[in-house]
Amino acid sequence: MKQFIAFVKKEFYHIFRDRRTMLILLGMPVVEIILFGFAISTEVKNVRLAVLDPSNDVVTRKIIDRLDASEYFTVTARFHSPQEMEAAFRKNKIDMAIVFGERFADGLYKGDARVQLIADATDPNMSTSQTNYAASIVSSVGQEMLPSNVSVSRLIPDIKLLYNPQMKSAYNFVPGVMGLILMLICAMMTSISIVREKETGTMEVLLVSPVKPLFIVLAKAIPYFVLSFVNLTTILLLSVFVLDVPVVGSLFWLVMVSLLFIFVSLALGLLISSVTSTQVAAMLASGMILMMPTMVLSGMIFPVESMPIVLQVISDIIPARWYIQAVRKLMIEGVPVVLVLKEISILLLMAIVLITISIKKFKYRLE
């Protein structure tokens, strides 16, 4: 029993002396509670709503004011033509639009008022929730505006879903799965592979070889780059031929953006390997830094717009967020590459910054 207690004390000493382990043990539960408590939400919030209202009467203004006053919608634009509305959807400036028919108030009293809700259905669950919330508000305001002596049928909006009218969930999770798989294979496996050399002592043998240290690191990263490209090809083939998710936009630019994201992930893995010395530490750091934020804060499952401002700011530094957003635009919405330049520029900047820091942090001499 004394020997058992001595071993228990020894393990406590090891944990207390390792600041990184202490941070993981004490800090990670706090981070997870915050993420699961605030980021994981299926509620509709901050939906960017556009209005096309040729009638502009007292009833339509009442409906628009009620939508804007709710916590779910924010009226961000008013259009005068369907072409302006379509362009806003393609540029990802709005999430939903409400279109009123002409002489809406007169039609309401006669029982033939027309109103249409148009939503971006790349995320089927959120688009369904958004249209249901809006339809409920429109219907209630329509009933309120009718005189007590007028009895007409209930006002039911006509709902139109863009990009994914069949409401297939695969349209939503395929881009997210692509980002998660590429991130984990490139970053996590690269970091563990290099740390394994340090831990077993073989990195010293490699560094004293005639090959320059930078090329040694690149040689270890290239296999993961190739594997990631194979995984990308497999995912696209399965998406098109098994899940019936078409590549609506340019396949060439989809592959180019994916290769850029793979390079960012490799640079991130190299950075993790530079600041860790054991495989366990690299695995925990990769899981805490890559897997959890990628799943929760990248928009893979839950919309970033529904999160608190603090978490929205944090999500801006997660590479997977911009990659998933670019894939949804190119693959699902089929927009031209000029509308994805923002995401490409951010990923390119991240690649330059990460690879520069990684090379400077990498220790070419082992202690």
Side-chain angles (χ1 to χ4, degrees):
M1 184 60 68
K2 291 182 179 180
Q3 292 177 346
F4 175 77
I5 295 174
F7 273 91
V8 171
K9 289 182 178 179
K10 178 184 69 68
E11 291 300 323
F12 273 114
Y13 292 150
H14 281 302
I15 294 173
F16 291 151
R17 289 171 183 172
D18 191 346
R19 295 181 178 178
R20 292 175 183 170
T21 303
M22 288 291 294
L23 179 62
I24 293 173
L25 291 176
L26 300 179
M28 193 171 181
V30 176
V31 173
E32 288 184 354
I33 289 295
I34 294 175
L35 291 179
F36 279 95
F38 292 97
I40 300 181
S41 174
T42 56
E43 296 179 2
V44 175
K45 293 182 179 178
N46 305 321
V47 178
R48 298 170 297 176
L49 179 66
V51 177
L52 180 59
D53 182 16
S55 178
N56 193 26
D57 54 46
V58 62
V59 179
T60 59
R61 288 195 296 268
K62 181 73 172 181
I63 293 175
I64 295 169
D65 291 341
R66 183 70 62 85
L67 288 169
D68 195 26
S70 71
E71 62 176 330
Y72 313 115
F73 304 97
T74 301
V75 177
T76 58
R78 294 175 181 267
F79 299 126
H80 300 90
S81 67
Q83 291 76 18
E84 293 179 347
M85 181 178 62
E86 181 181 357
F89 269 114
R90 293 175 66 86
K91 294 178 181 179
N92 198 30
K93 291 183 177 180
I94 57 175
D95 302 310
M96 194 173 73
I98 182 169
V99 181
F100 295 97
E102 296 183 357
R103 304 180 63 84
F104 183 84
D106 295 340
L108 179 65
Y109 300 139
K110 296 177 182 178
D112 60 354
R114 302 295 299 274
V115 57
Q116 184 180 47
L117 296 174
I118 304 176
D120 182 351
T122 52
D123 187 340
N125 295 328
M126 288 306 300
S127 61
T128 301
S129 299
Q130 291 169 6
T131 52
N132 288 339
Y133 276 59
S136 176
I137 294 176
V138 171
S139 179
S140 63
V141 174
Q143 292 298 121
E144 292 177 6
M145 297 300 294
L146 285 174
S148 58
N149 58 345
V150 177
S151 177
V152 296
S153 60
R154 187 169 178 262
L155 178 62
I156 301 177
D158 177 29
I159 298 175
K160 180 181 180 181
L161 301 175
L162 300 181
Y163 311 123
N164 185 16
Q166 300 88 357
M167 300 294 292
K168 293 183 178 180
S169 59
Y171 280 63
N172 179 45
F173 73 74
V174 165
V177 170
M178 290 172 62
L180 182 63
I181 291 178
L182 295 179
M183 174 64 73
L184 293 181
I185 289 181
C186 294
M188 185 179 290
M189 295 297 101
T190 302
S191 65
I192 295 174
S193 174
I194 296 175
V195 171
R196 186 186 303 118
E197 301 287 355
K198 295 181 183 180
E199 193 174 7
T200 58
T202 55
M203 179 61 79
E204 188 173 6
V205 178
L206 296 175
L207 291 177
V208 297
S209 64
V211 182
K212 293 183 179 181
L214 179 60
F215 290 101
I216 294 175
V217 176
L218 293 178
K220 296 185 72 63
I222 286 175
Y224 295 102
F225 186 90
V226 176
L227 288 174
S228 298
F229 183 77
V230 173
N231 279 321
L232 172 65
T233 304
T234 304
I235 293 171
L236 291 177
L237 290 175
L238 290 174
S239 301
V240 174
F241 295 105
V242 178
L243 301 176
D244 294 327
V245 180
V247 180
V248 180
S250 171
L251 178 62
F252 172 79
W253 284 112
L254 178 60
V255 173
M256 290 296 103
V257 172
S258 299
L259 293 179
L260 176 59
F261 178 69
I262 291 173
F263 186 77
V264 173
S265 303
L266 290 173
L268 190 55
L270 179 58
L271 178 59
I272 294 174
S273 70
S274 301
V275 298
T276 56
S277 56
T278 64
Q279 297 181 62
V280 175
M283 179 71 74
L284 291 174
S286 301
M288 183 174 61
I289 298 174
L290 302 180
M291 182 180 293
M292 184 64 69
T294 299
M295 293 181 63
V296 179
L297 297 177
S298 66
M300 171 183 174
I301 303 175
F302 310 101
V304 177
E305 294 79 9
S306 298
M307 302 177 189
I309 299 298
V310 176
L311 293 181
Q312 291 186 33
V313 173
I314 296 176
S315 70
D316 289 340
I317 63 176
I318 298 176
R321 175 194 172 178
W322 304 106
Y323 173 69
I324 294 172
Q325 193 167 303
V327 171
R328 283 175 175 165
K329 288 183 178 181
L330 290 172
M331 185 175 180
I332 307 300
E333 299 179 11
V335 302
V337 70
V338 293
L339 299 180
V340 196
L341 291 180
K342 175 184 176 181
E343 289 80 5
I344 294 176
S345 301
I346 293 175
L347 288 175
L348 185 60
L349 178 62
M350 287 182 175
I352 296 173
V353 172
L354 287 173
I355 197 65
T356 302
I357 298 176
S358 301
I359 293 175
K360 289 184 177 295
K361 285 283 186 180
F362 189 79
K363 297 178 180 180
Y364 298 112
R365 297 179 181 272
L366 298 178
E367 299 178 357

